[in-house]
Amino acid sequence: MAGRGDPPDGTPEGTPEGPQGDDEYRSVVFDESFVRAARLQELSAHERMTDREHAVRARPRHPGPVPGAFRNGPRQLLALFVLIALAFGTAVYLGFRQPYRAPGASAPALPLRMTVVPLVPARTVEGGTPAALLAHSPAARFGSGGVGIRLPAPARTDDFSRGQVGAALNLVKAYLVASSLDRDVLAGRDRGAVRRLLAPNQTAQFDRSFAAPTADGLHDPAGWLVSFDAARVRQATGDVRVRGSLAFQETADQALEVTSDHTFVYALRPAGPAAADAASLFTVRRELRFRFDREHLARGQVQLVESEVGAGPEACGTGAGKAFAPLLAGARPPAGGPRGVDPFATGHLAGALCGVLATAAP
């Protein structure tokens, strides 16, 4: 008689008996969990009699996981963790390697590039009282002091809010007031009010400009501020006339740029005792370009990247000095004027960047 686990006719021929045979076919024996998970189920005898067209029916899907589905769960979780770590590491690496900056992020330090042009008088420098000189010059229509520095209405850009643009415009005005109107700065007594407004990456260039002035386009004090030698020149009146404009825009590298273009007119007289009608006018045209990022705005600092200055009446070829050297009332135009430059000559190009003060200018 066949055993309890054998087929009705006994063990098939050629099939090993005993535990070895069981182990050999264990991989093809369907256990109870496999049967329960099957999608098809054979109908009972009664069900087959009532439904002759179908011998099986589909079993409903289990809402829960199939037994044994998470047999490799820890291994899959480990692989997923490794993939996430690799993706995160790659993103961090590319973030440090990529050349683009976040909007308004700090940029590398930019040195100030400057051009300073002395304006030689075309005729003898006119003298008179400050009030009479100002009344008969184009400066009569200029504003007085900081009133003449008018700010445009701020508006948001792609990456800077309206408030940030307004803060940049106010910082530029503060710089213009400190560098062009502050009496201590004009007299050469103190430059701290200007230096404190500069970004830290420009203070070294600023200090070197006054320690060793050079007309090299980088270290001319006139590129930073307006100053007069108090041993030679004094202000005849504190009424400085100003007119100009301010504009702003966002640059392609997502920085905020503000440009200023202003003319400042000063009434000067010789140092020491002088007659009331010994004053003369000195005019300074300043075109400045500023660059801001969010860090500069948060710290209340400016970065001055370009400065173009024309000032007169001055002599041509005097070179960079710590202060302007105005030609005062009664001074005659320097003999010879600006020298020509011979492009065929060898050696250093000898010549001065100089202009002539128009007769209509004060």
Side-chain angles (χ1 to χ4, degrees), residues 55-87:
V56 295
R57 67 165 173 261
R59 297 172 67 96
R61 287 188 179 272
H62 293 280
V66 177
F70 290 98
R71 189 171 298 165
N72 296 325
R75 191 173 300 169
Q76 293 173 348
L77 289 176
L78 178 61
L80 180 61
F81 175 78
V82 171
L83 287 174
I84 294 175
L86 287 174

Side-chain angles (χ1 to χ4, degrees), residues 22-305:
D22 293 342
D23 291 340
E24 184 174 350
Y25 289 94
R26 181 168 298 162
S27 61
V28 298
V29 175
F30 300 145
D31 59 10
E32 184 179 355
S33 65
F34 181 84
V35 174
R36 285 200 303 268
R39 290 284 296 121
L40 300 178
Q41 180 183 24
E42 185 178 4
L43 301 179
S44 64
H46 177 73
E47 290 172 331
R48 288 198 299 272
M49 291 175 63
T50 58
D51 188 359
R52 301 187 182 190
E53 295 181 1
H54 303 90
V56 295
R57 67 165 173 261
R59 297 172 67 96
R61 287 188 179 272
H62 293 280
V66 177
F70 290 98
R71 189 171 298 165
N72 296 325
R75 191 173 300 169
Q76 293 173 348
L77 289 176
L78 178 61
L80 180 61
F81 175 78
V82 171
L83 287 174
I84 294 175
L86 287 174
F88 179 76
T90 302
V92 172
Y93 174 78
L94 292 177
F96 281 107
R97 293 279 297 180
Q98 56 93 17
Y100 302 104
R101 299 182 301 109
S106 293
L110 296 174
L112 169 61
R113 299 286 180 175
M114 58 185 71
T115 303
V116 180
V117 181
L119 303 178
V120 180
R123 59 187 182 185
T124 302
V125 178
E126 182 181 357
T129 63
L133 291 171
L134 290 171
H136 294 87
S137 78
R141 299 185 297 273
F142 291 8
S144 179
V147 176
I149 304 174
R150 298 181 179 180
L151 302 182
R156 69 168 291 110
T157 66
D158 290 341
D159 296 295
F160 291 89
S161 68
R162 181 175 178 272
Q164 289 173 322
V165 173
L169 292 172
N170 279 289
L171 283 171
V172 169
K173 180 173 181 176
Y175 185 87
L176 292 173
V177 169
S179 63
S180 307
L181 301 175
D182 186 284
R183 305 200 86 178
D184 288 332
V185 173
L186 293 176
R189 291 189 293 266
D190 185 19
R191 297 184 292 270
V194 179
R195 191 181 189 276
R196 285 190 293 271
L197 285 170
L198 291 172
N201 55 31
Q202 289 196 311
T203 54
Q205 183 186 4
F206 179 86
D207 293 340
R208 183 180 170 186
S209 298
F210 290 91
T214 308
D216 60 354
L218 292 172
H219 303 98
D220 193 329
W224 299 98
L225 52 81
V226 178
S227 180
F228 303 106
D229 183 0
R232 293 184 58 250
V233 180
R234 301 283 179 89
Q235 281 188 267
T237 175
D239 182 16
V240 180
R241 298 298 177 91
V242 186
R243 186 173 68 178
S245 62
L246 285 167
F248 63 89
Q249 66 175 352
E250 183 171 339
T251 61
D253 59 347
Q254 298 173 316
L256 185 63
E257 182 179 279
V258 179
T259 55
S260 68
D261 183 357
H262 290 80
T263 300
F264 300 84
V265 180
Y266 305 86
L268 305 177
R269 65 173 179 83
D277 60 352
S280 60
L281 299 183
F282 188 78
T283 305
V284 181
R285 169 82 176 273
R286 305 183 76 195
E287 297 181 60
L288 309 178
R289 182 163 62 91
F290 300 83
R291 179 187 175 91
F292 293 92
D293 56 35
R294 287 194 175 90
E295 184 177 346
H296 294 144
L297 294 174
R299 294 182 177 181
Q301 298 167 337
V302 304
Q303 183 171 240
L304 182 58
V305 296

